[in-house]
Amino acid sequence: MSLSYKSHVTFPVIGTKTAAGVRTSVTLTAAYDVANKTKAFETAGFSKLNLDVLYTMGAGETSNSIELRVTASADGVNYYRIPNESVTAGTSTLSAREFLFVGADAVAATISIGIDIFYKYIKVSAKETGVVTNFGTVFIDATLSGR
């Protein structure tokens, strides 16, 4: 049995989508926070965020990786990294969280990332690593659930 949420809102975070559902990806770069590969949005009142990622490596590339960074903010100005927690013998060790997906070849890969959220604003950024010649593309749809 799954949880039931009163409201779901889905929208493109990186790339565009027509009313008919046709997705248009954007070309990745080797850096985060590049204009069309970063988007901030309000999440207040929602408790779950799902990111649906369509990642395609560039032609002739193998074993490249897409990396996603999710940051959070209370004011929409100052953003903070969301941490991972590792507990050993009662001690919590925090590290900055990133999502890494290693592709096998230039075939499109679909990835779904679910995140519990407690923040008023979220920012999602993407980059690609391991590129020899041709950068790949990405499209990311977000679904907020809650209220």
Side-chain angles (χ1 to χ4, degrees):
M1 208 159 143
S2 64
L3 294 173
S4 176
Y5 297 100
K6 289 183 181 180
S7 181
H8 301 280
V9 178
T10 301
F11 54 94
V13 174
I14 298 175
T16 59
K17 185 167 61 172
T18 67
V22 177
R23 300 174 293 196
T24 302
S25 296
V26 297
T27 302
L28 287 159
T29 62
Y32 284 124
D33 296 325
V34 177
N36 64 346
K37 267 94 44 215
T38 296
K39 182 169 183 176
F41 50 93
E42 190 169 345
T43 59
F46 291 97
S47 59
K48 302 286 183 189
L49 168 64
N50 188 70
L51 299 172
D52 289 323
V53 181
L54 173 64
Y55 167 55
T56 306
M57 273 187 262
E61 298 287 329
T62 57
S63 299
N64 294 5
S65 301
I66 184 170
E67 297 180 26
L68 299 176
R69 182 173 65 195
V70 178
T71 55
S73 173
D75 60 13
V77 176
N78 300 296
Y79 282 85
Y80 302 91
R81 298 287 297 275
I82 296 174
N84 279 325
E85 178 184 25
S86 171
V87 180
T88 304
T91 300
S92 292
T93 302
L94 301 177
S95 59
R97 188 171 192 182
E98 284 192 12
F99 298 92
L100 169 71
F101 177 81
V102 180
D105 54 34
V107 175
T110 54
I111 308 131
S112 184
I113 302 167
I115 304 170
D116 289 323
I117 54 174
F118 319 95
Y119 323 102
K120 187 170 182 182
Y121 299 93
I122 293 283
K123 185 188 302 182
V124 176
S125 301
K127 72 176 184 176
E128 188 176 27
T129 57
V131 176
V132 175
T133 307
N134 301 307
F135 279 95
T137 62
V138 66
F139 171 84
I140 301 176
D141 233 3
T143 300
L144 291 168
S145 299
R147 295 196 180 180

